[in-house]
Amino acid sequence: MPIRLKKLIGTFLLVLLVIVYAIVSTAFAVAQLADKSALVHLAFYLVTGLLWVLPAMLLVKWMEGKPKRAGN
């Protein structure tokens, strides 16, 4: 797959990942953390604010990968 196509697909997937992740984590927070303390909210948003980076790193690594040559 050409690198430009990988980057285009990866860009759309990265934007989709961020949107879906934000909606899901916020919906979970609203449903489960409404009556919890501010410290629990801080910890939750700190962890979930950093957790999306893991799948994003894998996606960026895939996007930057060298294209495979035919015959190898």
Side-chain angles (χ1 to χ4, degrees):
M1 179 181 302
I3 194 77
R4 292 182 69 169
L5 181 59
K6 283 176 82 170
K7 287 185 178 187
L8 178 66
I9 292 169
T11 301
F12 284 117
L13 289 176
L14 192 57
V15 170
L16 183 65
L17 168 73
V18 170
I19 291 170
V20 169
Y21 187 82
I23 290 170
V24 169
S25 64
T26 303
F28 179 82
V30 168
Q32 301 296 323
L33 302 179
D35 57 345
K36 305 291 190 240
S37 71
L39 191 57
V40 172
H41 282 251
L42 177 66
F44 175 78
Y45 283 113
L46 181 66
V47 170
T48 57
L50 295 173
L51 198 60
W52 71 273
V53 174
L54 296 175
M57 281 192 313
L58 292 174
L59 188 57
V60 169
K61 186 175 179 180
W62 173 79
M63 287 168 52
E64 292 296 324
K66 302 263 189 259
K68 294 183 180 174
R69 293 177 16 183
N72 286 341

